[in-house]
Amino acid sequence: NNAASAFAAVPRNLRLMYVHAYQSFIWNAATSQRLARFGIDGPVVGDLVIKACDFGAKPSNGPDAAPSTNGGEESADVSSRIEPTLVTAQNIKQFTIYDVVLPLPGWAVTYPEHDVKKVYIDLMKQDGLSPFGLGKHPLKEYKLAGAYRHMIIKPRDFEYEWMRYNDDALPLARSDSDAIEGKHVPESIEFGEHVALKLKFDLPSSAYATMLLRELMRQETAAGHQSKLSGNAGA
């Protein structure tokens, strides 16, 4: 009947992966609600913002850093972390939608001062948790400091190329290992039977290419949906 002891039997890195997955689950739900309630035209009063910048220059503990895999309070370096600004009627014109951040739940973060704050409270209450009580766990590895992630990311160095090809089995991009082996970059074949769109871009930590493709193509990226599409294509 001791749930904590049972969970402790799971390898530590795997335990922490589950914990951080829960943080991301709450963040995703809160972000969906923020977008549904207030849209994407710009920040609203009560939002939290951190100026978006060249993410290649951000420190590892910057606003889009992934949660540490070393645990909670014992590894959380929050002393030098960039802290967000609360959007008010007086400063709202200084920021854009790309500056808006939402917190991964933790004891060292602040929450937006509008309806989305209640989303955190209500969701975590369903699991017997509180966004304001994550520093009170007796085990240090579950004392989650939290972090901030930008709600909308603009990719850097975005490029695209239309390619024509004949062989479905041949790659259309050169991998790092191909480059090391001196293989040539695949080229488009004039009048090729098939057409492909080749994309090249850079994203910061905790931003995913699958989500960019979903928004670009307006297509579901879940594995089950993609398997169905592949099956239909082969039929």
Side-chain angles (χ1 to χ4, degrees), residues 105-107 109-111 117 120-121 124 129-136:
W107 60 264
V109 296
T110 56
Y111 293 87
K117 184 176 184 177
Y120 282 90
I121 295 171
M124 296 183 68
L129 297 171
S130 167
F132 313 110
L134 296 178
K136 299 177 182 179

Side-chain angles (χ1 to χ4, degrees), residues 41-47 49 51 85-97 99-100:
D41 290 340
V44 298
V45 172
D47 273 334
V49 290
K51 276 289 189 179
T85 299
L86 179 67
V87 175
T88 66
Q90 289 70 40
N91 66 13
I92 191 169
K93 292 184 179 180
Q94 300 175 23
F95 306 104
T96 74
I97 193 65
D99 300 322
V100 176

Side-chain angles (χ1 to χ4, degrees), residues 178-196:
D178 290 338
I180 293 173
E181 294 171 7
K183 294 182 179 179
H184 295 294
V185 177
E187 296 181 353
S188 181
I189 299 174
E190 189 174 9
F191 306 118
E193 181 181 357
H194 307 296
V195 179

Side-chain angles (χ1 to χ4, degrees), residues 16-26:
L16 294 177
M17 184 179 72
Y18 288 137
V19 171
H20 296 147
Y22 180 75
Q23 286 180 294
S24 293
F25 165 75
I26 297 296

Side-chain angles (χ1 to χ4, degrees), residues 205-227:
S205 172
S206 302
Y208 301 98
T210 49
M211 297 299 99
L212 184 150
L213 294 175
R214 184 186 71 179
E215 296 303 308
L216 180 67
M217 299 186 297
R218 299 300 179 185
Q219 286 280 344
E220 179 57 61
T221 54
H225 181 75
Q226 292 299 311
S227 296

Side-chain angles (χ1 to χ4, degrees), residues 6-230:
F7 193 51
V10 177
R12 186 171 184 273
N13 284 345
L14 185 56
R15 291 200 309 271
L16 294 177
M17 184 179 72
Y18 288 137
V19 171
H20 296 147
Y22 180 75
Q23 286 180 294
S24 293
F25 165 75
I26 297 296
W27 187 91
N28 286 335
T31 299
S32 295
Q33 287 299 312
R34 163 59 180 80
L35 293 170
R37 299 183 188 202
F38 302 116
I40 61 172
D41 290 340
V44 298
V45 172
D47 273 334
L48 300 175
V49 290
I50 295 175
K51 276 289 189 179
C53 60
D54 183 348
F55 53 73
K58 288 179 183 174
S60 60
N61 61 344
D64 293 312
S68 168
T69 56
N70 295 322
E73 183 181 54
E74 61 191 5
S75 64
D77 179 11
V78 298
S79 60
S80 59
R81 182 170 61 192
I82 302 171
E83 291 301 320
T85 299
L86 179 67
V87 175
T88 66
Q90 289 70 40
N91 66 13
I92 191 169
K93 292 184 179 180
Q94 300 175 23
F95 306 104
T96 74
I97 193 65
Y98 298 107
D99 300 322
V100 176
V101 297
L102 284 170
L104 290 159
W107 60 264
V109 296
T110 56
Y111 293 87
E113 293 296 332
H114 49 46
D115 291 349
V116 176
K117 184 176 184 177
K118 192 172 185 298
V119 172
Y120 282 90
I121 295 171
D122 291 346
L123 278 176
M124 296 183 68
K125 185 177 180 180
Q126 295 175 19
D127 299 311
L129 297 171
S130 167
F132 313 110
L134 296 178
K136 299 177 182 179
H137 200 284
L139 297 179
K140 285 186 176 182
E141 65 183 52
Y142 302 135
K143 291 184 178 180
L144 304 173
Y148 298 98
R149 287 181 181 172
H150 279 98
M151 186 175 68
I152 297 178
I153 296 291
K154 182 184 290 187
R156 186 180 65 182
D157 300 332
F158 194 99
E159 300 176 7
Y160 72 93
E161 175 188 1
W162 290 104
M163 296 186 67
R164 302 196 72 96
Y165 64 101
N166 293 318
D167 191 341
D168 290 335
L170 293 179
L172 298 179
R174 184 173 68 165
S175 66
D176 290 341
S177 60
D178 290 338
I180 293 173
E181 294 171 7
K183 294 182 179 179
H184 295 294
V185 177
E187 296 181 353
S188 181
I189 299 174
E190 189 174 9
F191 306 118
E193 181 181 357
H194 307 296
V195 179
L197 176 61
K198 183 177 178 181
L199 304 177
K200 182 180 179 181
F201 51 86
D202 196 6
L203 293 171
S205 172
S206 302
Y208 301 98
T210 49
M211 297 299 99
L212 184 150
L213 294 175
R214 184 186 71 179
E215 296 303 308
L216 180 67
M217 299 186 297
R218 299 300 179 185
Q219 286 280 344
E220 179 57 61
T221 54
H225 181 75
Q226 292 299 311
S227 296
K228 184 178 179 180
L229 290 178
S230 297

